[in-house]
Amino acid sequence: MNSKRDLAVAISFFVFGASVLYSLAHMQISPGVNEVYLTHYIIPNYVCAVIFDWRAYDTLGECLVLVVAVMVSWIVFGKSLYDNTYLKELFHAPESDDYITLQGWGEYTPIIKFLAFPMSVLMVALGIITVLGGHITPGGGFQGGALIAAAFILSVIAFGSNSPLWFDHKFLEKLEALGALGYLLLGVAGMFIGGYYLFNFTEINGFTIFPAPKEIITAGIIPYLNIAVGLKVLAGLSTAAFLLSCEKVIIEKISKSEEKLE
Amino acid sequence: MIMINYLVNRMDFQMASFITSGLLVIIGLYGVFFVDNVLKKIIALEILGSGVNLALIAIGYNGGTIPIKLPGVSVEVFAKESAYPLTHALVLTNIVIEASMLAVMLGVSIILYKKYKTLRSSVILKED
């Protein structure tokens, strides 16, 4: 039984692999809609224009994908963190806000402790630059948000819950909701002003949405969408990494509570 | 031999990227099919996703510059020289979705280990 199924899997694997290589070797490429994207100027970063103006619904979809992934992580791990009464009722555990402790973790060398916080500050600054300059230079909300999340994770790994760069998980939830809602509401504003959801309007009643030099005055709502996406990504990735790292502490708490019950 | 000659004559930067992405997809698929460890399957899925991203970027390559317009360059000149921005946008979307999928898969693998005390998929699926 196993050998027959393995043989079938091997045959289908080789057929699929050969067809993948053959089709890639004979790829025929046509620019298609790219000609429209390239000949209509919106902002200097044309990838950002595609992501937030031409195909803004696609970016809305991927924002919500990340939100759902963080929600699933909460469902799997977060209940005992978010609602301490669950732990209290089930195991009579003492309520504590110290989710990450260095007990059981290796103590890091002074090199890591000395360098982690300055590195985190620099990474946050670089992330902010990447988010704000996303419509001009390479980068944007996703790249900048990931940088700031990496700074948060670095500090938490080096210092635990005593990290100088610390966001409470409830604050991260609010930040993620703020970013996602910011994106959604900017789309609704476009509906009122231009008649379409996520319409890229450049002014309201004579006021310019994004005051800028003449060449990039057509950015419109794109910088604000970048900021919303940056907030959502930094909060989402920080929360997901936070929850995965807290699992050990949760299990330790439950084990200690079980010992007390015996 | 004819096939090798054909590929060597057509080989350039874009063709090499296509072949590399095809090999990455095949390696990832091999890991998903034939490797027993759950974490190694997850790593294989990431390799497969990297192959797909590389294929998309290679499709957008046309020998020109990156799709960032510099000051002073006219739109007409830039449109002729730029790489295709659509594939770059698709890759950015795909990277975020891969990261989300990875977080969920890692969470589920932690739960599986707590329940079954092993990461062998054959044991988890009760095959042996």
Side-chain angles (χ1 to χ4, degrees), chain A residues 147-201:
Chain A
L147 266 168
I148 302 175
F152 170 74
I153 293 165
L154 174 63
S155 275
V156 169
I157 288 175
F159 299 107
S161 58
N162 299 319
S163 170
L165 182 68
W166 176 255
F167 306 131
D168 186 75
H169 64 278
K170 292 177 182 176
F171 173 77
L172 286 173
E173 287 175 41
K174 295 183 176 68
L175 205 64
E176 184 173 22
L178 180 69
L181 282 178
Y183 198 103
L184 289 164
L185 292 179
L186 278 165
V188 174
M191 187 176 285
F192 280 109
I193 293 166
Y196 299 98
Y197 190 74
L198 286 167
F199 178 79
N200 187 7
F201 52 98

Side-chain angles (χ1 to χ4, degrees), chain A residues 2 5-6 9-10 12-13 16-18 20-22 24-31 33-35 37-41 43-47 50-51 55 58-59 62-63 65-70 72-73 76-77 136-138 142-143 215 232-233 237 240 244 247 251, chain B residues 3 6-7 10 14-15 18-19 21-23 25-27 29-30 33-34 55 58-62 66-73 75 78-80 82-90 92-94 96-97 99-104 106-108 110-111 114 127-128:
Chain A
N2 285 340
R5 192 189 58 200
D6 288 343
V9 172
S12 59
F13 170 75
F16 180 80
V20 163
L21 283 176
Y22 182 85
L24 283 170
H26 293 81
M27 180 74 68
Q28 300 291 331
I29 298 166
S30 171
V33 75
N34 285 289
E35 287 179 354
Y37 294 160
L38 286 169
T39 53
H40 291 73
Y41 173 77
I43 45 176
N45 186 347
Y46 274 60
V47 175
V50 172
I51 289 169
R55 295 173 57 91
D58 199 23
T59 308
E62 72 182 295
C63 288
V65 164
L66 190 49
V67 168
V68 170
V70 173
V72 170
S73 300
V76 172
F77 293 120
I136 303 168
T137 57
F142 292 100
Q143 294 89 335
E215 188 164 341
K232 188 198 65 57
V233 169
L237 293 185
L244 292 176
E247 186 266 345
I251 295 302
Chain B
M3 188 63 175
Y6 174 77
L7 287 178
R10 270 198 70 184
Q14 191 174 41
M15 179 57 62
F18 281 142
I19 299 300
S21 63
L23 291 176
V25 168
I26 292 167
I27 290 167
L29 210 59
Y30 173 85
F33 281 165
F34 299 107
I59 287 169
Y61 174 79
N62 63 356
I66 62 171
I68 307 284
K69 191 177 97 66
L70 298 178
V73 178
V75 173
F78 175 76
K80 290 187 176 65
S82 172
Y84 300 143
L86 174 61
T87 57
H88 292 72
L90 295 179
L92 184 57
T93 303
N94 198 28
V96 175
I97 292 171
S100 308
M101 184 180 72
L102 177 64
V104 174
L106 289 179
V108 172
I110 291 174
I111 296 294
K114 280 195 290 181
E127 293 183 358
D128 296 340

Side-chain angles (χ1 to χ4, degrees), chain A residues 82-93:
Chain A
Y82 185 67
D83 186 1
N84 272 329
T85 56
Y86 177 75
L87 267 182
K88 187 185 290 184
E89 292 169 1
L90 195 59
F91 297 111
H92 306 289

